Amino acid sequence: MSSRPRAAADAGEPGRPAAAEPSAGPVAVLRAYIALTKPRIIWLLLITTVPAMVVAAGGWPDSALVASTLLGGMLAAGGANAINQYADRDIDRLMRRTSGRPLVRGAVTPGRAATLGLVLSAVSVAWLALAVNAPAAALTAGAIVFYVLAYTYYLKRTTTQNIVLGGAAGAAPPVIGWAAVTGTVEIEAALLFLVVFYWTPPHFWALSLLLADDYERAGVPMLPVVRGERETKRQIVLYTLLLIPLTLIFGAVAEMRWLYFATAAAGGAAFLGFALALSRGPGIDGARALFRFSVIYLAVLFASMAADQLLLG
């Protein structure tokens, strides 16, 4: 397996660079640029930011601070995602799941996609430095650099642990939210980082089980491709078992109340149930259910943090 598959510089027919569609109207072009930022992923990143800010503040923080932090986070995530699509345009055209992305279709040129990503990333860091604080800006800059350089350009293409190590970038939003309120990173923020960090492998490996053929075709060494379904399912259970106590440890350290603990315990038990059902079932039966539940789990878990503080504080 090649560690860096790069069949063609741009998307389109094999061996042929794609050009931007000249007949595309302004609405279609706008949609293409928005698609470069992966807006459906952004909300999941930001949904971990606000609850972290609420816990850090011991209640609802200043609304202007929340809005400024979310805006900076949206710009940062959008910029990093656009650069990711620029870097992955060679493998995106080989996968059915990503064959409709703007660069693959030629709706946006690679140069413009890279420019969009770099500009959004730079603006996000500058905005956070000016409107929030320096620690939040520095953490955001670090997350962008790690996601683009370490994960996208190296880890994703070279190791089965790509999602595990690359998950550090996706685990940064709650830490950034905490720093936005306190100006520092405390143990509670570190535990929130670990919660998202250990949630990421079961979440993404469930998806990768469904897309193993796609990843194999593109030459991406995802765990199911290299180690097989059985090992992937075993790893999903192991990471789920590590995730559950982390959520409870965070609750104890952050002095959360019954609402959070009840949600964390019930949600963790359900998560483990989905993971065990996948592990014990034939083939990849249960992978889609686990993937969908994992998204709901993370959203509800973090929402319960905020509700615990706002309703019971």
Side-chain angles (χ1 to χ4, degrees):
M1 177 183 297
S2 172
S3 62
R4 281 189 59 86
R6 184 150 307 266
D10 303 313
E13 294 300 319
R16 295 183 182 178
E21 297 175 357
S23 59
V27 174
V29 171
L30 177 61
R31 286 177 177 171
Y33 277 101
I34 292 174
L36 282 173
T37 66
K38 302 182 185 178
R40 286 185 293 181
I41 295 178
I42 290 177
W43 81 267
L44 189 59
L45 295 174
L46 297 184
I47 204 170
T48 64
T49 303
V50 175
M53 297 180 72
V54 171
V55 176
W60 185 256
D62 179 71
S63 294
L65 178 63
V66 173
S68 295
T69 305
L70 288 180
L71 177 58
M74 291 173 63
L75 293 171
N81 288 335
I83 299 173
N84 171 265
Q85 288 198 49
Y86 166 80
D88 281 352
R89 64 194 186 279
D90 59 326
I91 59 178
D92 280 349
R93 73 181 185 86
L94 301 176
M95 299 175 60
R96 284 188 295 270
R97 181 176 70 95
T98 56
S99 61
R101 286 180 173 176
L103 287 172
V104 179
R105 295 185 288 105
V108 179
T109 64
R112 290 179 178 177
T115 299
L116 174 68
L118 291 171
V119 169
L120 289 179
S121 298
V123 170
S124 71
V125 174
W127 170 259
L128 288 169
L130 293 172
V132 181
N133 57 38
L139 287 166
T140 299
I144 294 171
V145 170
F146 183 84
Y147 179 70
V148 171
L149 297 183
Y151 172 71
T152 300
Y153 276 103
Y154 181 70
L155 295 170
K156 182 175 182 178
R157 298 169 183 255
T158 59
T159 174
T160 58
Q161 296 301 300
N162 46 20
I163 290 304
V164 177
L165 301 173
V175 183
I176 294 168
W178 192 282
V181 173
T182 66
T184 187
V185 176
E186 298 166 311
I187 187 172
E188 295 92 338
L191 287 168
L192 287 177
F193 173 90
L194 291 175
V195 166
V196 181
F197 184 83
Y198 279 93
W199 166 87
T200 301
H203 163 73
F204 207 95
W205 280 334
L207 177 63
S208 67
L209 281 169
L210 299 169
L211 302 173
D213 290 343
D214 253 5
Y215 286 117
E216 184 173 14
R217 185 183 306 111
V220 180
M222 295 299 295
L223 190 62
V225 175
V226 179
R227 302 289 298 277
E229 291 178 1
R230 182 176 180 180
E231 177 62 17
T232 302
K233 293 192 287 187
R234 188 180 77 87
Q235 291 288 333
I236 286 174
V237 173
L238 289 176
Y239 273 87
T240 302
L241 289 171
L242 291 170
L243 168 66
I244 295 171
L246 277 171
T247 64
L248 301 176
I249 292 170
F250 164 77
V253 172
E255 299 181 350
M256 305 299 289
R257 300 165 184 82
W258 67 266
L259 178 58
Y260 170 79
F261 278 105
T263 304
F271 203 136
L272 182 59
F274 277 100
L276 289 173
L278 170 62
S279 178
R280 295 169 178 172
I284 59 173
D285 291 351
R288 190 176 304 277
L290 173 59
F291 174 75
R292 290 175 174 172
F293 175 78
S294 67
V295 177
I296 297 171
Y297 167 84
L298 189 69
V300 172
L301 180 71
F302 273 79
S304 73
M305 296 178 195
D308 193 279
Q309 291 289 302
L310 296 174
L311 300 178
L312 305 178

